[in-house]
Amino acid sequence: MLGNSKINPAPVLDLIDAFRRSKVLFATQASGIFDRLHGRSASVDELAPELDANRDALERLLDACVGLGLLNKQDGQYTNLPIADVYLWRDSPETMSGYIRYSEFALFPLWANLQTAVQEGTHQWSRTFGGDGPLFSHFFKTEESKRDFLAGMNGFGLLSSPAVVAAFDLRRFRRLADLGGATGHLSIAACERYPNLHGVVFDLATVTPVAQEYIAKSPAADRLEVIAGDFFSDDLPDADLYALGRILHDWAEPKIQILLRKIHEKLPEGGALLIAEKLLFDDKTGPSHAHLQSLNMLICTEGKERSLPEYTALLKQAGFTKVEGNRTGKPVDAILATK
């Protein structure tokens, strides 16, 4: 009889609600509420005129944030919980506000075309936004959008980079070149952990001034430098350890092989490549966050997430002889391939 099933519908109901929770976060972030509540408490009557918002509607949004564990409410006064001050306040050193805006304005519209992406097997950038330019050029159109995007990537990277550089003993290496290193969060984490290591952040010329600003704040700044370049078309800086953080998942295998072979040829014997990516289980039954990121790469790029055996095959094809993997428990895992 209908309605008498003993199967718990909670997982389905949770998935139906999932995008609503995301949109609560997006709308609250876009409204600047977490910024306004940093270091202060305020009532809905105070916030509504400040935000030019409808009082009743704003109260519903604020209360939803309380329910989601982002805000506290006491005697009608709202305050940021610590998680909001650390990750959602725009000026926090660990802010993820840029990544949240990227998720709202780029990923959310792209995911509306997931079914088409599955049918076609290709990214949905042109269909969603028009134009045929590369994905990242969209985020570098203005200085503000570039910095916002890089800040978002930095906030996300801070969650994983310390664990990635700790996943293997890297004390034998002397010079790390982080290819496509963006703000340098991985190089910074490595040099702060290993006092004899020198780091190079290698990225496009438009990115390097931002990387220099982030590096200047590190206690290891005197062992870090920034070099402008394109890892596909330019010579790579000398190093006995290269790093690729969330790079390989952007590309299909032919481009990956070009880059891996280029790195292998540049490395000395005993040198290695450190890769930071989400790892699928060997049988690809999980983890769920890697499945979702792989679909994300489908709609955004020509790449995907892979298992350790798949990365091992790619790396050995490029000439690497030893490949190790380590699940970090963080948003990305670690692979070390030795020449």
Side-chain angles (χ1 to χ4, degrees):
M1 182 182 296
L2 292 177
N4 290 332
S5 174
K6 295 181 180 179
I7 298 175
N8 185 357
V12 174
L13 297 175
D14 181 70
L15 289 171
I16 291 171
D17 260 356
F19 82 92
R20 302 181 190 186
R21 294 194 295 272
S22 296
K23 287 298 287 185
V24 168
L25 174 62
F26 296 164
T28 309
Q29 178 74 56
S31 298
I33 291 170
F34 301 118
D35 299 325
R36 289 181 180 273
L37 291 178
H38 177 70
R40 67 179 279 216
S41 61
S43 67
V44 67
D45 291 319
E46 293 173 290
L47 290 170
E50 291 180 20
L51 299 170
D52 192 26
N54 176 273
R55 185 199 180 284
D56 176 67
L58 178 60
E59 185 174 35
R60 297 188 213 183
L61 181 64
L62 293 168
D63 288 342
C65 287
V66 173
L68 290 174
L70 304 176
L71 298 179
N72 183 59
K73 182 182 183 181
Q74 187 171 3
D75 299 327
Q77 296 285 310
Y78 296 91
T79 56
N80 282 347
L81 286 172
I83 192 171
D85 275 333
V86 172
Y87 298 117
L88 304 178
W89 173 43
R90 188 175 301 214
D91 293 329
S92 166
E94 298 175 76
T95 186
M96 297 189 71
S97 59
Y99 197 84
I100 291 167
R101 287 188 288 277
Y102 162 64
S103 297
E104 178 178 14
F105 297 115
L107 299 185
F108 197 81
L110 283 164
W111 273 78
N113 290 314
L114 175 61
Q115 184 177 354
T116 304
V118 171
Q119 291 170 331
E120 297 178 349
T122 187
H123 70 76
Q124 299 298 300
W125 190 261
S126 297
R127 175 174 281 103
T128 307
F129 298 110
D132 296 318
L135 169 66
F136 296 109
S137 67
H138 175 81
F139 305 114
F140 293 169
K141 285 182 178 178
T142 68
E143 183 68 15
E144 181 181 6
S145 64
K146 176 187 73 176
R147 287 180 172 273
D148 196 47
F149 177 74
L150 290 172
M153 296 299 105
N154 185 75
F156 195 90
L158 290 177
L159 299 176
S160 297
S161 288
V164 169
V165 301
F168 305 99
D169 185 353
L170 305 179
R171 286 177 294 179
R172 71 181 186 273
F173 300 108
R174 292 294 174 262
R175 183 173 166 88
L176 163 69
D178 185 6
L179 307 182
T183 59
H185 52 82
L186 191 146
S187 299
I188 291 169
C191 288
E192 289 181 358
R193 181 175 180 86
Y194 301 102
N196 294 321
L197 187 67
H198 287 72
V200 177
V201 178
F202 187 75
D203 212 321
L204 301 175
T206 187
V207 174
T208 53
V210 181
Q212 289 168 335
E213 294 173 15
Y214 280 90
I215 284 172
K217 301 173 185 177
S218 170
D222 62 336
R223 290 183 284 114
L224 286 155
E225 63 178 306
V226 180
I227 298 176
D230 183 319
F231 50 63
F232 279 123
S233 58
D234 295 324
D235 290 337
L236 303 181
D238 291 331
D240 60 347
L241 176 65
Y242 288 95
L244 293 172
R246 302 183 76 203
I247 298 294
L248 296 183
H249 73 167
D250 289 336
W251 309 106
E253 292 187 7
K255 279 190 177 179
I256 289 177
Q257 276 304 314
I258 291 172
L259 182 56
L260 292 181
R261 290 179 185 276
K262 189 173 183 178
I263 292 169
H264 185 269
E265 290 173 6
K266 189 77 174 180
L267 276 171
E269 290 296 325
L273 169 61
L274 178 66
I275 297 170
E277 296 284 6
K278 293 180 186 290
L279 285 176
L280 290 163
F281 295 155
D282 291 0
D283 63 1
K284 298 188 180 181
T285 58
S288 181
H289 66 82
H291 290 150
L292 295 176
Q293 182 65 1
S294 196
L295 288 170
N296 196 55
M297 304 319 291
L298 169 65
I299 60 174
C300 292
T301 70
E302 61 184 70
K304 63 180 181 179
E305 304 306 318
R306 298 172 172 87
S307 65
L308 181 59
E310 288 175 313
Y311 277 117
T312 299
L314 289 169
L315 288 158
K316 290 193 172 181
Q317 186 179 346
F320 291 91
T321 56
K322 181 182 179 183
V323 181
E324 306 167 82
N326 195 318
R327 296 189 183 275
T328 65
K330 302 296 182 180
V332 296
D333 301 307
I335 302 167
L336 189 68
T338 304
K339 179 174 178 178

